[in-house]
Amino acid sequence: MQSREALSARGPLAQQIPGFVPRPSQQAMAQAVETALAEQRVFVAESGTGTGKTFAYLVPALLSGLKVMISTGTRNLQDQLFRRDLPLVRDALGIPVQAALLKGRSNYLCLHRLERTIAEGRFTARSSSAEFQRIQGWARRTKSGDIAEVGDVPEESELWPMVTSTVDNCLGSQCTEFNRCFVNRARREAATAEIIVINHHLFFADVSMREEGFAQLLPAADAVIFDEAHQLADIASDFFGASFSSHQLRNLCRDSIAEDIKEQSGLRELRPVAEAADRAVLDFRLALGTPLRRVPWADVAGTDEVVAALHVLQESLSELAQVLDAVAARGPGLANCARRATALLERLEQITRGDDLDQVAWVETAARSFMIRLTPLDVARSFQDRVRGIGTKAWIYTSATLAIGDDFTHFTARLGLDAQTARWTSPFNYEQQALLYIPRSLPEPSAPTFTAKVVEAALPVLRASRGRAFFLFTSHRALKIAAELLQGRLEHPLLVQGTMGRARLLDTFVAAGDAVLLGTGSFWEGVDVRGPALSCVIIDKFPFAAPDDPVLKARAAACAAAGGNPFMEYQLPEAVLSLKQGAGRLIRSLEDRGVLMLCDPRIYNRSYGKLFLESLPPMPQTRSLADVERFFETMTTVDGAA
């Protein structure tokens, strides 16, 4: 059976899956993926919202008989694919394919660290004790050890790092729980599976491990399919660079003390040395200054305070490494801490030397923490060198946002791809389902009053939509201003990103049915709210990256030095793709209707505004609030009590 036939009106999916609707674009994409798999090609596919791209690659993957690795952008999408979509397609096709779900190490319970935390029994928050009891109860029942099973302990809980492991702190084969390890169990299942569902971060973690000569995490596959492929270049930048953070060193200090207690090194100096290193981390953060910022390392590295604090930090870490090395033979926990200390010291020296012209060193500070990073200016060569070493034959890249118009050059160039490309637009009837509203008389986004004016323009729209809106911002500062201005002025629940976890915030929004949610980056993509609960999306301005971002500045300078145009070749395409993602939150099904409000006047008064406009779905445009009010009145008439 061919993929096109399987997805047709008389195919098994239509017969077996309730509500399945055959879509010509889905069939065409599935046929193209099938050909790429059979002919071992590199294939890039943009699939508009509603095309059904998940089934369009799952069907040919299952029919191919190949060992296929499918990588998603987030863990949530990974779970959805493995637990919902894959079983649906597999059962409909009647193919007894063995599938496995594999996540990064920190997503699984670590039995060694659980036992150690039980022995310590110390928590900074009173609520943590009750949460830990829930984790212990789940630990006795779980078969997979996947912490996603524990829905009543928040993702941001301080407990998860205490009962999970990372590449840095895992004891590997020296661990007493090695044979019962949930990570190892998941890997064994993946080794024998024909379909393996992973995420992009795990893929790059595996690629990095291979580069360092360690055993691979992921089994060999005949083909790799990347869903949400637009995220790959940015994630690759993180993994192909280097980082040193306060969290890494403070966790090392904590683990060193805990392992010293457990393995009884007998060395009295260890604890005070670890505590001194912990203090050096805090002092270094103070030396970086009070503002929350993201700047080139060179901008802060020359100040007397930072030079002195960095010297103390390096000396403290070096002393901790020496002490740990002296007691490493006392047990695998202390040996692991010794390796981590040495690796962190080398990484800190590498990043702060600043002698690599192909990478940019920068520092980011939060209230009580910092991270220093070394990021490559270009990942194309590194990405290609590494994927060639894997030996996989077919590579499929897909997302709803890969092309600027019909041009895939920006995406393929960032990853160094020589690929066949194809694009399928959304099957939704945007002419009937949506309206684009661009209000008049708003100031330039650079104006001090811009956010306040946007809020004033949005208020009558929110009244007409009766809430039911995402209000999306390009910065946390603008979100904070808008939240203050909207407080007490809405008849509907106001939900603000940062006041609760993302998943809980989204669940609250859907349950309310008439809420207004204020969000930044994480709500621009990967959020699927269908039905009238989301009938309006308001975007404050074009999502250009902050001009003072150190990575952007370095890449723009490199582009200009090579004779290119940084704005046209890098900044503008990135912003266009981000806007497509944000706008894509509005219409998620054939029944959805809604208004997209874009508040950036540059869409009409800048030459590049046309590119943003052409990137949006083909919906009617208006500059009249009355048209918006009529649209929502019509929705009410059509939907009844919508």
Side-chain angles (χ1 to χ4, degrees):
M1 180 187 298
Q2 290 190 328
S3 300
R4 188 183 293 273
E5 179 187 351
L7 291 162
S8 70
R10 297 185 178 181
L13 272 71
Q15 295 173 21
Q16 299 291 327
I17 300 177
F20 178 83
V21 178
R23 305 168 200 177
S25 53
Q26 184 183 60
Q27 295 167 26
M29 178 179 166
Q31 192 64 51
V33 172
E34 183 177 279
T35 301
L37 292 173
E39 298 180 0
Q40 301 180 356
R41 295 180 184 172
V42 180
F43 179 54
V44 177
E46 180 174 279
S47 177
T49 306
T51 302
K53 65 178 167 61
T54 305
F55 283 14
Y57 64 70
L58 277 177
V59 168
L62 290 171
L63 291 174
S64 70
L66 301 173
K67 189 180 184 78
V68 180
M69 192 181 303
I70 302 172
S71 181
T72 68
T74 64
R75 292 190 300 269
N76 288 338
L77 289 173
Q78 190 182 1
D79 284 328
Q80 176 182 305
L81 179 65
F82 182 77
R83 303 189 193 284
R84 189 188 73 183
D85 300 330
L86 180 55
L88 273 175
V89 176
R90 179 176 56 189
D91 294 347
L93 294 175
I95 300 176
V97 171
Q98 183 181 350
L101 177 69
L102 190 57
K103 299 181 180 180
R105 185 182 301 279
S106 61
N107 293 280
Y108 297 94
L109 177 70
C110 173
L111 295 170
H112 166 76
R113 291 177 70 81
L114 174 67
E115 178 187 338
R116 203 186 71 184
T117 302
I118 292 172
E120 284 185 274
R122 292 182 299 167
F123 309 112
T124 58
R126 184 175 298 177
S127 60
S128 295
S129 180
E131 290 176 355
F132 189 64
Q133 293 300 317
R134 291 196 286 274
I135 291 174
Q136 281 187 278
W138 162 75
R140 289 190 287 268
R141 302 186 304 270
T142 183
K143 298 281 197 302
S144 70
D146 186 342
I147 66 173
E149 295 175 351
V150 191
D152 53 356
V153 176
E155 290 181 22
E156 60 272 17
S157 170
E158 68 162 13
L159 293 174
W160 289 126
M162 298 165 65
V163 297
T164 59
S165 67
T166 65
V167 172
D168 288 336
N169 61 34
C170 173
L171 302 185
S173 59
Q174 300 300 310
C175 181
T176 56
E177 301 290 350
F178 183 78
N179 292 328
R180 294 202 302 146
C181 175
F182 290 113
V183 175
N184 292 336
R185 182 181 301 175
R187 287 186 193 171
R188 287 193 294 269
E189 291 174 358
T192 59
E194 293 132 298
I195 303 290
I196 310 143
V197 181
I198 63 168
N199 59 62
H200 300 342
H201 287 85
L202 180 58
F203 173 82
F204 283 109
D206 180 58
V207 166
S208 300
M209 291 290 283
R210 293 172 194 246
E211 182 75 9
E212 295 171 9
F214 292 102
Q216 64 192 49
L217 303 173
L218 307 174
D222 301 309
V224 175
I225 298 173
F226 291 108
D227 197 349
E228 301 298 308
H230 64 277
Q231 300 177 6
L232 286 172
D234 288 335
I235 296 174
S237 294
D238 290 340
F239 277 91
F240 295 161
S243 66
F244 179 96
S245 73
S246 54
H247 290 303
Q248 289 172 323
L249 185 45
R250 298 200 72 188
N251 286 340
L252 170 63
C253 295
R254 177 193 173 99
D255 287 349
S256 298
I257 294 170
E259 296 295 355
D260 181 41
I261 294 170
K262 185 173 185 293
E263 296 176 350
Q264 299 180 342
S265 73
L267 189 64
R268 292 181 180 178
E269 295 92 330
L270 197 156
R271 186 183 189 109
V273 167
E275 290 173 343
D278 190 65
R279 286 193 300 274
V281 175
L282 299 176
D283 291 341
F284 184 72
R285 170 62 193 92
L286 288 174
L288 290 172
T290 53
L292 309 184
R293 55 183 177 170
R294 178 179 164 120
V295 296
W297 170 245
D299 286 6
V300 299
T303 66
D304 292 341
E305 294 85 357
V306 171
V307 170
L310 177 61
H311 177 73
V312 172
L313 182 64
Q314 289 174 320
E315 289 294 312
S316 299
L317 181 52
S318 176
E319 186 176 1
L320 179 60
Q322 293 173 23
V323 170
L324 287 167
D325 190 57
V327 296
R330 298 296 177 93
L334 288 169
N336 173 266
C337 289
R339 286 192 296 272
R340 287 162 62 189
T342 300
L344 280 175
L345 184 60
E346 291 174 352
R347 205 177 304 159
L348 179 60
E349 291 173 348
Q350 174 196 3
I351 296 171
T352 55
R353 270 200 312 267
D355 56 1
D356 192 332
L357 298 179
D358 294 325
Q359 302 193 80
V360 54
W362 53 280
V363 60
E364 184 170 25
T365 59
R368 296 184 179 86
S369 62
F370 68 85
M371 177 178 288
I372 313 174
R373 299 193 72 102
L374 197 61
T375 300
L377 298 179
D378 179 56
V379 299
R381 183 183 301 174
S382 297
F383 182 76
Q384 286 303 312
D385 287 346
R386 286 163 172 86
V387 299
R388 275 196 294 268
I390 295 175
T392 300
K393 308 298 189 298
W395 297 84
I396 313 295
Y397 302 81
T398 185
S399 170
T401 53
L402 295 177
I404 309 295
D406 292 321
D407 186 4
F408 286 85
T409 303
H410 179 69
F411 173 75
T412 56
R414 288 196 72 191
L415 292 177
L417 302 178
D418 180 12
Q420 291 189 332
T421 62
R423 180 172 176 258
W424 289 274
T425 57
S426 171
F428 296 149
N429 185 354
Y430 284 93
E431 288 285 343
Q432 299 295 322
Q433 292 180 253
L435 177 68
L436 173 61
Y437 172 47
I438 302 170
R440 298 180 186 275
S441 304
L442 284 176
E444 288 288 304
S446 58
T449 59
F450 177 73
T451 300
K453 295 290 186 181
V454 166
V455 169
E456 292 304 316
L459 278 168
V461 176
L462 293 172
R463 283 193 289 269
S465 68
R466 291 184 290 157
R468 306 186 298 173
F470 274 7
F471 203 157
L472 301 179
F473 298 88
T474 56
S475 72
H476 289 280
R477 179 178 176 275
L479 180 147
K480 183 179 179 182
I481 292 171
E484 292 173 353
L485 292 172
L486 287 169
Q487 202 68 45
R489 300 180 70 185
L490 293 174
E491 298 176 6
H492 311 283
L494 180 64
L495 304 174
V496 182
Q497 181 179 336
T499 57
M500 61 181 83
R502 180 174 179 269
R504 186 178 164 203
L505 198 65
L506 196 57
D507 289 343
T508 304
F509 175 84
V510 173
D514 66 341
V516 176
L517 189 154
L518 276 56
T520 55
S522 64
F523 282 92
W524 283 65
E525 63 176 284
V527 178
D528 188 8
V529 179
R530 304 185 183 200
L534 180 56
S535 298
C536 181
V537 171
I538 303 173
I539 294 175
D540 69 337
K541 60 183 177 180
F542 295 150
F544 286 111
D548 59 350
D549 179 86
V551 178
L552 172 64
K553 286 174 66 175
R555 286 177 173 165
C559 178
N565 183 322
F567 180 76
M568 296 302 295
E569 295 176 26
Y570 183 74
Q571 292 163 270
L572 183 59
E574 286 290 294
V576 168
L577 293 173
S578 294
L579 182 67
K580 286 174 68 173
Q581 281 286 345
R585 298 315 97 208
L586 181 63
I587 304 298
R588 307 300 298 177
S589 75
L590 292 168
E591 292 74 35
D592 283 356
R593 300 185 73 216
V595 170
L596 173 64
M597 178 179 176
L598 181 57
C599 304
D600 197 323
R602 293 175 295 182
I603 199 164
Y604 288 131
N605 62 25
R606 294 289 193 280
S607 59
Y608 58 76
K610 185 179 179 182
L611 196 59
F612 284 100
L613 198 57
E614 291 174 346
S615 75
L616 297 173
M619 63 184 84
Q621 301 172 32
T622 185
R623 306 205 73 179
S624 167
L625 177 61
D627 289 342
V628 174
E629 292 169 339
R630 276 192 293 271
F631 184 93
F632 283 119
E633 287 171 5
T634 304
M635 278 183 61
T636 303
T637 302
V638 172
D639 300 334

